[in-house]
Amino acid sequence: MVDWNQLSKQEQTEVERQYKVLSYGVDTILPQDEFKKKLATSIKEKRPLKVKLGLDPTAPDVHIGHTVVLNKLKQFQEFGHTIQLIIGNFTGKIGDPTGKDAARKALTDEEVKHNAQTYFEQFGKIIDMDAVELHYNAEWLSKIDFAEVLRLASHVTVARMLERNDFHNRYTDNKPIYLHEFFYPVMQGYDSYALESDIELGGTDQEFNVLFGRQIQEQFGKEKQVVLLLPLIEGLDGVEKMSKSKGNYIGIDESPGDIFGKTMSIPDELIVKYFRLASNLKIEEVAKIQADLEEGGLHPKDAKMRLAYSFVEMLYDQETADLSKENFLNVFQKNKMPGELPEVWWEKQKEVLVIDLVKDLGLLPSKGEVRRMIKNGGIRIDQEKIDDPSLIVSVVDGLVIQVGKRKFVKLRIQ
Amino acid sequence: MVDWNQLSKQEQTEVERQYKVLSYGVDTILPQDEFKKKLATSIKEKRPLKVKLGLDPTAPDVHIGHTVVLNKLKQFQEFGHTIQLIIGNFTGKIGDPTGKDAARKALTDEEVKHNAQTYFEQFGKIIDMDAVELHYNAEWLSKIDFAEVLRLASHVTVARMLERNDFHNRYTDNKPIYLHEFFYPVMQGYDSYALESDIELGGTDQEFNVLFGRQIQEQFGKEKQVVLLLPLIEGLDGVEKMSKSKGNYIGIDESPGDIFGKTMSIPDELIVKYFRLASNLKIEEVAKIQADLEEGGLHPKDAKMRLAYSFVEMLYDQETADLSKENFLNVFQKNKMPGELPEVWWEKQKEVLVIDLVKDLGLLPSKGEVRRMIKNGGIRIDQEKIDDPSLIVSVVDGLVIQVGKRKFVKLRIQ
């Protein structure tokens, strides 16, 4: 690798500039000095760094928690580095035959392809997918024979594996750990060797696995990757890590109204963390918001409005963000007098499927829910019960939509 | 498998006859009822059982401890069953790259072949090697790919592996266990599947490994093998398991004089055990010797003479056994008067290399030792110091051989 004093003044400045942005919000860089050297070498030799992110094809639901790493990838992209996305189809196709964890059952080729596609579509909202290198790890892992597996395994101790938190806990709780599970980190490490990755990104919960890449690259005489561990963000409950299974998430694919509304529901303590990690605001903007909040010049509710706006803008566009904000203010913020209904400005098409209408207004979380509610007789338009989910509604100014017993919205059009 | 009451009276008698001999001296049969069923099926369908013994090609030195299993194999052979000898060349060629255990370093093809040859030559002293099936496990193990390895591993828990005594102790002593070591039992089990073994033999210290064969055969939908665990015999010290590295062994390849003399040195408590497990005496003969010893009608020294005689007869022939006994009586048993030298009857050729002479008299354990002793001026013949290791000695009646300061032998010829 290139030495610091081999760089021109200008190159040194560029290293510092990239380092500042790329290390921003990162929990741990392992090891820190090597990261700077990687950047220096890249700049000196005009060679983009290869930045790896491994994806588990069994769980394609992408939420705001993932934007922590996606925003980091975007920053690397903006500096001209190369993103390596690896779909773990080898792992995914093997699955976990113990049947203890349904999420780990073997996937077919088609399921893997479908799940990968889902990732790509959602990732495309944040990073430039045209500039990304895509890899499927079965390409190299399926060619490894038993002798090679044993050679790989001969560098790994059982005690080291049992140091990994979840393995340790399962072992001490007398819950079974199956031998093949020990190979997940080994495979992840082998991917880094196969693709000669310079950097690997992961959540702090991935520390054990991503460090394996360094070990296996070294074992095969390659330059070791640098690991950037990103913080995990808590979900809407403010307690547990954001995840689909916990239900405390903001999905990247959700409607603008849902993204806006859910963001407004986060605890105040998380505002700055979400800004720093999940939004795409610049370092200085986040610093300003933080200072204003601390000095009391900015009300937490207004900060959340700004955050919610930035999420919708990032995942949709500015116009949608404006509309979402307006709707939110109309529906949830205005003081409602008795008998007076909350009003929402409707700017979409005038002829609209009843299902889309109710969903887009954010009155129910999904089209499935709307359909179910119609079946149960819980949707009324201008007091008339709707029983045909394929009904097309002609929106007129003043139309009243009712969901269940208590949710009312009056539509306004200009 | 065949049911007991599907057998004719005659077939039932044959099962009982084989069972009595084959289970004699066995420590544990797992599971006992299946062993009888295997025999019954074999007899009913006139199909020999496949009886497996796996060999580690890294340690080809065969000693009397191995005759426990070799005698058992011979009994199976005599009933017409088929012996499967498996050379673990796949394992041996991978070795243990940790360098912690020199015996486990990777072997070349040539070394494996040489070691296997050493086994075969020595085994040939006890079993009929022409009737044995020979296999090298690289034949099937080298073809397994990563996906298959993971599938195998997915049926094995880490906790189960750590129950194995040596793994358990190393883990609790914080000594490293390398991940590939967990695959040794898995490979051994896979061998049983690949060869559809009916029976596997092993020492009681192999229980963990040989039981894996049952698991893996079952995993692949095959009939499970039955495991016969044979006791380990203590070495000459009467304390530790007989082994080359402990130096407490009687090698199969040693000179008749050494085999005889070493056998005479075992503790009395081991006499019956050696007879039962390591000699090829019939069940009834051993029972008689045991009874005579207990009643005091047989002196332990005489029982050991009988044992030593049986070993030399088993590994050489009756004539050599007679000669060894005579020599032993002459050299070690006769009361030696001061100035009177022990005498040995020499019945071999009269012209003999000095090295062969000293070795065959059992005065030194190997030809290498004799050569070294000559170099150090420690061998005299009729008081004349010998310095040429290629010297041919003409044996005459009364010739005195001296080794070192204290060992003298007077040769007698008829």
Side-chain angles (χ1 to χ4, degrees):
Chain A
M1 278 194 280
V2 166
D3 233 36
W4 187 247
N5 46 25
Q6 292 175 261
L7 299 186
S8 69
K9 190 76 203 158
Q10 199 181 355
E11 288 164 340
Q12 288 182 358
T13 309
E14 177 60 13
V15 171
E16 295 293 6
R17 187 175 78 95
Q18 293 195 13
Y19 185 82
K20 186 182 169 195
V21 172
L22 296 172
S23 63
Y24 175 71
V26 175
D27 181 274
T28 317
I29 300 173
L30 292 168
Q32 200 138 9
D33 57 329
E34 278 184 32
F35 184 38
K36 245 184 193 168
K37 279 190 183 167
K38 289 266 190 192
L39 288 173
T41 309
S42 156
I43 286 158
K44 181 79 187 169
E45 297 177 357
K46 301 190 191 343
R47 187 178 57 77
L49 292 176
K50 296 174 187 162
V51 184
K52 172 194 167 194
L53 180 69
L55 300 171
D56 172 5
T58 57
D61 292 288
V62 184
H63 51 65
I64 282 286
H66 294 104
T67 61
V68 180
V69 72
L70 291 173
N71 282 331
K72 190 52 68 187
L73 285 178
K74 191 185 184 190
Q75 293 165 348
F76 273 103
Q77 258 189 344
E78 286 171 347
F79 286 128
H81 300 298
T82 307
I83 307 305
Q84 304 176 316
L85 283 187
I86 304 181
I87 305 291
N89 66 329
F90 183 74
T91 332
K93 274 164 65 183
I94 288 157
D96 187 340
T98 61
K100 294 263 160 68
D101 180 358
R104 273 280 164 90
K105 75 171 200 285
L107 298 175
T108 64
D109 276 339
E110 215 162 298
E111 286 170 320
V112 167
K113 201 167 276 181
H114 172 262
N115 289 350
Q117 199 51 42
T118 310
Y119 271 128
F120 302 154
E121 279 164 15
Q122 299 185 35
F123 281 17
K125 294 188 174 207
I126 296 186
I127 57 176
D128 176 5
M129 287 300 292
D130 292 336
V132 155
E133 272 186 21
L134 287 179
H135 299 279
Y136 291 81
N137 67 2
E139 195 189 313
W140 49 85
L141 292 179
S142 64
K143 287 173 192 148
I144 295 179
D145 66 10
F146 198 0
E148 181 87 348
V149 173
L150 291 172
R151 235 169 274 128
L152 277 166
S154 71
H155 289 261
V156 180
T157 68
V158 173
R160 168 96 199 279
M161 281 292 174
L162 287 175
E163 279 165 16
R164 203 176 88 167
N165 259 341
D166 53 343
F167 287 149
H168 176 80
N169 294 340
R170 281 159 66 191
Y171 185 65
T172 50
D173 291 351
N174 291 319
K175 287 179 187 155
I177 304 164
Y178 291 87
L179 187 47
H180 72 294
E181 298 184 70
F182 276 3
F183 282 94
Y184 286 88
V186 176
M187 290 189 270
Q188 188 163 342
Y190 196 92
D191 291 348
S192 296
Y193 153 69
L195 292 179
E196 301 187 330
S197 307
D198 291 302
I199 312 281
E200 179 160 2
L201 299 191
T204 46
D205 57 347
Q206 285 285 308
E207 174 170 353
F208 187 90
N209 289 352
V210 292
L211 281 177
F212 250 89
R214 289 175 60 79
Q215 178 176 328
I216 289 175
Q217 286 172 322
E218 186 174 35
Q219 182 178 329
F220 286 103
K222 298 279 180 188
E223 193 180 303
K224 288 183 280 186
Q225 67 184 13
V226 168
V227 162
L228 267 61
L229 298 178
L230 292 153
L232 305 173
I233 58 174
E234 294 81 0
L236 306 174
D237 52 6
V239 179
E240 300 220 66
K241 174 188 161 189
M242 184 181 285
S243 82
K244 180 85 194 284
S245 61
K246 296 267 158 55
N248 62 354
Y249 69 107
I250 306 172
I252 269 191
D253 242 9
E254 293 195 78
S255 73
D258 284 342
I259 291 172
F260 206 100
K262 283 184 171 184
T263 307
M264 293 307 294
S265 78
I266 67 169
D268 293 353
E269 311 84 71
L270 286 183
I271 298 174
V272 173
K273 189 169 187 184
Y274 270 48
F275 265 118
R276 188 186 303 125
L277 297 170
S279 84
N280 56 11
L281 263 64
K282 294 217 182 330
I283 302 178
E284 297 74 20
E285 295 177 282
V286 176
K288 174 91 169 62
I289 288 167
Q290 182 170 12
D292 288 352
L293 273 169
E294 282 166 5
E295 287 156 16
L298 180 64
H299 193 279
K301 193 161 277 174
D302 294 325
K304 277 191 257 189
M305 294 270 278
R306 175 90 176 80
L307 182 67
Y309 184 94
S310 80
F311 283 161
V312 177
E313 191 183 18
M314 174 172 79
L315 299 170
Y316 291 88
D317 51 45
Q318 198 185 332
E319 200 184 346
T320 313
D322 286 332
L323 192 67
S324 304
K325 184 178 173 183
E326 207 170 322
N327 275 349
F328 181 82
L329 287 170
N330 282 331
V331 180
F332 298 99
Q333 293 278 83
K334 278 193 181 155
N335 284 328
K336 289 165 220 155
M337 305 290 280
E340 197 182 325
L341 298 181
E343 292 179 352
V344 176
W345 288 99
W346 182 256
E347 300 199 331
K348 297 200 178 162
Q349 70 276 28
K350 303 282 186 295
E351 305 287 316
V352 59
L353 259 172
V354 61
I355 290 181
D356 290 337
L357 177 64
V358 178
K359 169 75 168 50
D360 287 353
L361 287 168
L363 296 169
L364 284 171
S366 71
K367 293 186 183 182
E369 293 275 301
V370 180
R371 217 170 263 123
R372 194 154 39 244
M373 193 59 110
I374 289 172
K375 212 172 153 198
N376 295 337
I379 306 268
R380 288 169 185 267
I381 294 185
D382 276 352
Q383 299 188 33
E384 197 175 323
K385 193 187 285 178
I386 306 299
D387 47 24
D388 177 10
S390 66
L391 177 77
I392 290 174
V393 179
S394 301
V395 178
V396 292
D397 193 56
L399 197 71
V400 173
I401 317 294
Q402 181 182 356
V403 175
K405 284 200 177 131
R406 262 175 265 277
K407 270 197 227 171
F408 293 87
V409 157
K410 182 185 275 182
L411 294 189
R412 300 301 313 273
I413 52 173
Q414 281 178 315
Chain B
M1 278 194 281
V2 167
D3 233 34
W4 186 248
N5 45 25
Q6 292 176 261
L7 299 187
S8 69
K9 191 74 202 157
Q10 198 182 358
E11 286 165 340
Q12 289 182 358
T13 308
E14 176 60 13
V15 171
E16 295 293 6
R17 188 177 77 96
Q18 293 196 12
Y19 185 83
K20 186 184 169 196
V21 172
L22 296 172
S23 63
Y24 176 69
V26 175
D27 182 274
T28 317
I29 300 172
L30 293 167
Q32 200 139 8
D33 58 327
E34 279 183 30
F35 183 39
K36 246 184 193 170
K37 279 190 183 167
K38 288 265 191 191
L39 287 173
T41 308
S42 156
I43 286 159
K44 181 82 187 167
E45 297 177 355
K46 301 191 191 339
R47 187 177 57 76
L49 294 177
K50 296 174 187 161
V51 184
K52 173 193 167 195
L53 180 70
L55 300 170
D56 172 2
T58 58
D61 291 289
V62 184
H63 52 64
I64 284 285
H66 295 104
T67 60
V68 180
V69 72
L70 291 173
N71 282 332
K72 191 53 69 185
L73 285 178
K74 191 185 182 191
Q75 293 166 348
F76 274 102
Q77 255 188 347
E78 286 172 347
F79 286 127
H81 301 297
T82 307
I83 308 305
Q84 303 176 317
L85 283 188
I86 303 180
I87 305 293
N89 67 329
F90 184 74
T91 333
K93 275 164 65 184
I94 286 154
D96 188 340
T98 60
K100 293 263 162 69
D101 180 356
R104 272 281 163 88
K105 73 172 201 287
L107 298 176
T108 63
D109 276 339
E110 214 162 300
E111 286 170 318
V112 167
K113 200 166 278 180
H114 173 263
N115 289 349
Q117 199 50 44
T118 310
Y119 271 127
F120 302 156
E121 280 164 14
Q122 299 185 34
F123 281 18
K125 294 186 174 207
I126 297 185
I127 56 176
D128 176 5
M129 287 300 293
D130 291 336
V132 155
E133 272 186 22
L134 287 179
H135 300 278
Y136 290 81
N137 67 2
E139 194 190 314
W140 48 85
L141 292 178
S142 64
K143 286 174 192 147
I144 296 180
D145 67 10
F146 199 178
E148 181 86 347
V149 173
L150 292 172
R151 236 169 276 129
L152 277 167
S154 71
H155 289 261
V156 180
T157 69
V158 173
R160 168 97 198 279
M161 281 290 174
L162 287 175
E163 279 166 16
R164 202 176 86 166
N165 258 342
D166 55 343
F167 287 150
H168 176 80
N169 294 340
R170 281 159 67 191
Y171 185 65
T172 50
D173 291 351
N174 291 317
K175 286 180 190 154
I177 304 164
Y178 292 87
L179 186 47
H180 71 293
E181 299 184 71
F182 276 4
F183 281 95
Y184 286 88
V186 176
M187 289 188 272
Q188 187 164 342
Y190 196 91
D191 291 346
S192 295
Y193 153 70
L195 291 180
E196 302 187 329
S197 307
D198 291 301
I199 311 282
E200 180 162 2
L201 299 192
T204 46
D205 57 347
Q206 285 285 307
E207 172 169 356
F208 187 91
N209 288 352
V210 292
L211 282 176
F212 251 87
R214 288 175 60 81
Q215 178 175 330
I216 290 174
Q217 286 173 322
E218 186 173 37
Q219 181 178 329
F220 286 102
K222 299 279 181 186
E223 192 181 304
K224 287 183 279 184
Q225 67 183 13
V226 167
V227 163
L228 266 60
L229 298 178
L230 291 154
L232 305 173
I233 58 174
E234 294 83 0
L236 305 176
D237 52 5
V239 180
E240 300 219 66
K241 174 187 162 189
M242 184 180 284
S243 83
K244 179 84 195 282
S245 61
K246 295 267 160 56
N248 61 355
Y249 68 107
I250 305 171
I252 270 191
D253 242 8
E254 293 195 77
S255 72
D258 284 343
I259 292 173
F260 205 100
K262 284 184 172 185
T263 306
M264 292 307 294
S265 78
I266 66 168
D268 292 354
E269 311 86 70
L270 287 183
I271 297 173
V272 173
K273 189 169 187 186
Y274 271 47
F275 266 117
R276 188 185 304 124
L277 298 169
S279 84
N280 56 11
L281 264 64
K282 296 216 181 330
I283 302 179
E284 297 73 22
E285 294 177 283
V286 176
K288 173 89 169 58
I289 289 167
Q290 182 170 12
D292 289 350
L293 274 169
E294 283 166 6
E295 288 158 16
L298 180 64
H299 192 279
K301 194 161 279 175
D302 294 324
K304 277 192 256 187
M305 293 269 280
R306 175 89 177 81
L307 182 67
Y309 184 94
S310 81
F311 283 160
V312 177
E313 189 183 20
M314 173 173 79
L315 299 170
Y316 290 89
D317 50 45
Q318 196 186 334
E319 197 184 348
T320 313
D322 286 332
L323 192 65
S324 304
K325 184 177 172 184
E326 204 170 327
N327 276 347
F328 180 82
L329 287 170
N330 283 331
V331 179
F332 297 98
Q333 294 277 85
K334 280 190 180 160
N335 283 328
K336 289 165 221 154
M337 304 291 280
E340 199 181 324
L341 300 180
E343 293 178 351
V344 176
W345 288 98
W346 182 255
E347 300 199 330
K348 296 200 179 165
Q349 70 276 29
K350 302 281 184 297
E351 305 287 315
V352 58
L353 259 172
V354 60
I355 291 181
D356 290 336
L357 177 64
V358 179
K359 169 75 169 52
D360 286 354
L361 287 168
L363 296 168
L364 284 170
S366 71
K367 294 185 181 182
E369 292 276 299
V370 180
R371 218 171 262 120
R372 195 154 38 246
M373 193 57 108
I374 290 173
K375 212 172 154 195
N376 294 335
I379 306 270
R380 287 168 186 268
I381 294 185
D382 275 352
Q383 300 190 32
E384 196 175 324
K385 193 188 284 178
I386 305 299
D387 47 23
D388 177 8
S390 65
L391 177 77
I392 290 173
V393 179
S394 299
V395 179
V396 291
D397 193 57
L399 197 71
V400 174
I401 317 293
Q402 181 183 358
V403 175
K405 283 199 181 129
R406 261 173 267 278
K407 269 197 227 170
F408 293 86
V409 158
K410 184 186 275 182
L411 295 188
R412 299 301 311 273
I413 54 175
Q414 283 179 312

